[in-house]
């Protein structure tokens, strides 16, 4: 077990074994198919299933609930390795692990854990998290979808349209946030566990995206979906709190994803700078390239450390109950802007080849952008960090 009381960043043997096993799996199974799935936009179900079989869809969940029983450092290392091979795979993995599993573990009843967490954490079923709506993104509390308790008090009848749902086209189980008492503002939002095979659950328009093209994203439409009251997660009115609490964990996953994309773009650049010659020498011999490499490497390692720091803060919070909101937002903000910076430099170092689909750097460039947007834009991360530091709400 890693010591979470001090500022140690030593990896245990178990962490190293996991990281190396995931790296080998990703090199063998994901790298060869990544470009093709990016091109077609097809969902890579086979490799996602294999990741489930390896325990990667429930890394931090207890073994009793279908998970691998590991810690947040292990989760960060694994997401980074998968993202380094292909960001799309890591998107599906991150949402499943830190938004869906974590919500169920933290707020679910024993019955909900058995019914929903076990299949999602074991990779048998795919989970999705649905907060955003066409007219409600960063200002998440302004949602228009509604759930109304029926006269018998047995079911909530849900109507409305959600958007930008990662894994929406393939998910079996969705953690859905919708308004039950609009007059109460964010205190009127409730979290529901909804099942895709029930009447009134409609998969809407698939989003045609710039990057992470193999991770399916769509709208979800609810038309008189009847959700049993037993499938409310937490208490009615607790939805916004649950959404925010699990986004703290989710943002660590996105930070880890950004580190993986950045590492892939950085390593490709070093290789290219050594091999590609111009004016009679490798381009890495020119100081303008060297400055890029130095800045890329420095920011990459800083992003990695901030991400591991957020993971340690989450692990510590298990004992102390303290929130790790600021650490998660700092990691996500810095790592995502680093991924964008490094991917941008990588394209520049590669020149024309960086702009070509014959090499993966143009994919890294497109994939990096989403990390500055989803699970809270960079603007929202800055707002969260500053509000917490200044003691404002
Ligand atoms: N943990 C626990 N509770 C929290 C919290 C946190 N991190 N952040 C806020 N809260 C609580 C507050 O304590 C407060 O509770 P009380 O009223 O009971 O005291 C309540 O939530 C409201 O807080 P605020 O007044 O700060 O709320 P706000 O309306 O000003 O908004 C916000 C805050 C930070 C801007 C928030 O709306 C936010 O994070 N927006 C971004 C949403 C987002 O990340 N969306 C992405 C969705 S997922 C996705 O990208 C797609 C996918 O599939 C992955």
């Amino acid at each position: 077990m890693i010591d979470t009381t001090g500022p140690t960043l030593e990896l245990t043997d178990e962490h190293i074994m996991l990281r190396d096993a995931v790296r080998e799996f990703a090199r063998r199974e994901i790298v060869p198919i990544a470009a093709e799935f990016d091109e077609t936009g097809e969902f890579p179900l086979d490799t996602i299933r294999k990741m489930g079989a390896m325990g990667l869809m429930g890394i931090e969940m207890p073994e009793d609930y279908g998970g691998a029983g590991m810690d947040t450092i292990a989760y960060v290392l694994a997401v980074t390795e998968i993202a380094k091979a292909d960001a799309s795979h890591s998107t599906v993995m991150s949402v499943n692990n830190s938004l869906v599993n974590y919500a169920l573990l933290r707020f679910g009843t024993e019955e909900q854990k058995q019914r929903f967490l076990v299949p999602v954490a074991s990779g048998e079923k795919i989970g999705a998290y649905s907060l955003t709506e066409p007219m409600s993104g960063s200002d998440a509390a302004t949602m228009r979808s509604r759930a109304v308790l029926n006269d018998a008090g047995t079911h909530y009848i849900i109507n409305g349209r959600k958007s930008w749902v990662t894994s929406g086209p393939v998910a079996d189980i969705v953690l859905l946030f919708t308004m039950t008492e609009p007059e109460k503002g964010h205190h009127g939002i409730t979290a529901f566990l909804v099942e895709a095979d029930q009447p009134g659950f409609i998969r809407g328009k698939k989003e045609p995206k710039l990057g992470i093209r193999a991770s399916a994203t769509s709208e979800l439409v609810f038309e008189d979906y009847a959700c049993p009251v037993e499938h409310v997660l937490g208490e009615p009115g607790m939805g916004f709190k649950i959404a925010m609490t699990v986004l703290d964990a989710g943002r660590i996953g996105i930070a880890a994803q950004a580190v993986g994309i950045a590492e892939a773009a950085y390593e490709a650049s070093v290789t290219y700078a050594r091999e590609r010659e111009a004016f009679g020498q490798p381009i890495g011999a020119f100081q303008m390239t060297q400055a890029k490499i130095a800045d890329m490497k420095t920011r990459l390692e800083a992003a990695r450390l901030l991400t591991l720091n957020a993971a340690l803060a989450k692990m510590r919070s298990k004992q102390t109950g303290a929130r790790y909101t600021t650490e998660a937002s700092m990691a996500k903000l810095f790592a995502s802007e680093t991924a964008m910076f490094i991917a941008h430099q990588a394209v520049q170092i590669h020149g024309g080849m960086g702009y070509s689909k014959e090499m993966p750097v143009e994919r890294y460039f497109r994939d990096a952008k989403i990390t500055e947007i989803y699970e809270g834009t960079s603007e929202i991360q800055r707002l969260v960090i500053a509000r917490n530091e200044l003691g404002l709400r």
Side-chain angles (χ1 to χ4, degrees), residues 95 99 129 131-132 137-141 164-166 186-187 240-241 244-245 247-248 251 323 325 374-376 380 383-384 387 393:
V95 168
L99 295 184
Y129 171 101
L131 177 69
T132 303
S138 293
D139 188 3
W164 287 105
V165 184
T166 297
H186 66 256
H187 288 296
F240 195 73
K241 203 94 182 162
M244 292 298 118
T245 303
L247 272 173
D248 285 347
R251 287 166 184 168
R323 266 167 56 175
T325 305
Y374 63 8
E375 299 202 25
I380 289 295
L383 177 148
V384 167
R387 277 186 184 180
R393 271 273 314 276

Side-chain angles (χ1 to χ4, degrees), residues 35-105:
E36 188 191 330
F37 279 77
D38 169 64
E39 182 71 24
T40 62
E42 191 188 327
F43 186 77
L45 189 60
D46 280 357
T47 32
I48 294 291
R49 291 269 180 255
K50 286 181 187 169
M51 285 163 59
M54 280 181 81
L56 301 184
M57 298 306 269
I59 295 180
E60 293 179 78
M61 294 302 111
E63 291 174 47
D64 286 351
Y65 293 126
M70 298 185 81
D71 61 20
T72 315
I73 300 274
Y75 172 57
V76 161
L77 296 172
V79 173
T80 299
E81 291 303 326
I82 296 291
K84 196 173 163 184
D86 178 38
S88 292
H89 281 77
S90 65
T91 299
V92 180
M93 176 183 174
S94 177
V95 168
N96 206 81
N97 274 274
S98 43
L99 295 184
V100 183
N101 289 340
Y102 180 56
L104 281 160
L105 184 70

Side-chain angles (χ1 to χ4, degrees), residues 146-211:
R146 297 285 183 264
V148 179
L149 192 59
N150 66 3
D151 290 343
T154 56
H155 290 77
Y156 281 92
I157 309 303
I158 302 176
N159 281 287
R161 180 178 293 270
K162 307 298 278 190
S163 54
W164 287 105
V165 184
T166 297
S167 301
V170 292
D172 305 288
I173 292 163
V174 179
L175 171 57
L176 171 76
F177 300 91
T178 189
M179 197 60 97
T180 43
E181 292 183 88
E183 64 286 358
K184 290 190 177 169
H186 66 256
H187 288 296
I189 294 171
T190 299
F192 295 93
L193 295 159
V194 302
E195 293 167 299
D197 60 2
Q198 295 300 310
F201 181 106
I202 299 156
R203 302 188 203 270
K205 169 177 82 82
K206 211 175 153 206
E207 299 296 348
K209 307 192 297 288
L210 172 74

Side-chain angles (χ1 to χ4, degrees), residues 133-345:
E133 296 188 359
M135 294 307 290
S136 155
S138 293
D139 188 3
T142 55
M143 58 184 63
R144 294 181 181 179
S145 61
R146 297 285 183 264
V148 179
L149 192 59
N150 66 3
D151 290 343
T154 56
H155 290 77
Y156 281 92
I157 309 303
I158 302 176
N159 281 287
R161 180 178 293 270
K162 307 298 278 190
S163 54
W164 287 105
V165 184
T166 297
S167 301
V170 292
D172 305 288
I173 292 163
V174 179
L175 171 57
L176 171 76
F177 300 91
T178 189
M179 197 60 97
T180 43
E181 292 183 88
E183 64 286 358
K184 290 190 177 169
H186 66 256
H187 288 296
I189 294 171
T190 299
F192 295 93
L193 295 159
V194 302
E195 293 167 299
D197 60 2
Q198 295 300 310
F201 181 106
I202 299 156
R203 302 188 203 270
K205 169 177 82 82
K206 211 175 153 206
E207 299 296 348
K209 307 192 297 288
L210 172 74
I212 55 161
R213 288 174 37 74
S215 80
T217 313
S218 73
E219 291 192 336
L220 292 179
V221 180
F222 293 89
E223 283 181 8
D224 291 335
Y225 179 100
C227 183
V229 288
E230 301 83 51
H231 296 181
V232 167
L233 186 69
E235 297 296 321
M238 249 181 89
F240 195 73
K241 203 94 182 162
I242 294 174
M244 292 298 118
T245 303
V246 301
L247 272 173
D248 285 347
R251 287 166 184 168
I252 300 176
I254 303 307
Q257 174 184 50
V259 170
I261 299 168
E263 196 169 294
Y266 171 72
E267 288 181 7
S269 302
V270 169
T271 303
Y272 196 75
R274 283 193 183 127
E275 287 169 358
R276 169 74 183 190
E277 294 200 355
F279 305 102
Q281 55 183 343
I283 58 169
F286 293 106
Q287 287 186 349
M288 268 194 257
T289 308
Q290 291 169 4
K292 287 185 173 55
I293 296 290
D295 288 347
M296 291 159 85
K297 175 69 175 166
T298 305
R299 293 200 200 184
L300 172 60
E301 294 312 318
R304 194 194 315 281
L305 286 173
L306 266 182
T307 305
L308 289 169
N309 180 58
L312 282 175
K314 177 165 180 272
M315 287 156 65
R316 243 179 251 127
S317 84
K318 263 190 176 177
Q319 286 130 35
T320 62
R323 266 167 56 175
Y324 51 90
T325 305
T326 304
E327 289 87 346
S329 284
M330 289 192 303
K332 200 240 177 213
L333 171 65
F334 190 79
S336 60
E337 294 194 347
T338 294
M340 203 58 227
F341 169 79
I342 291 181
H344 184 206
Q345 298 299 316

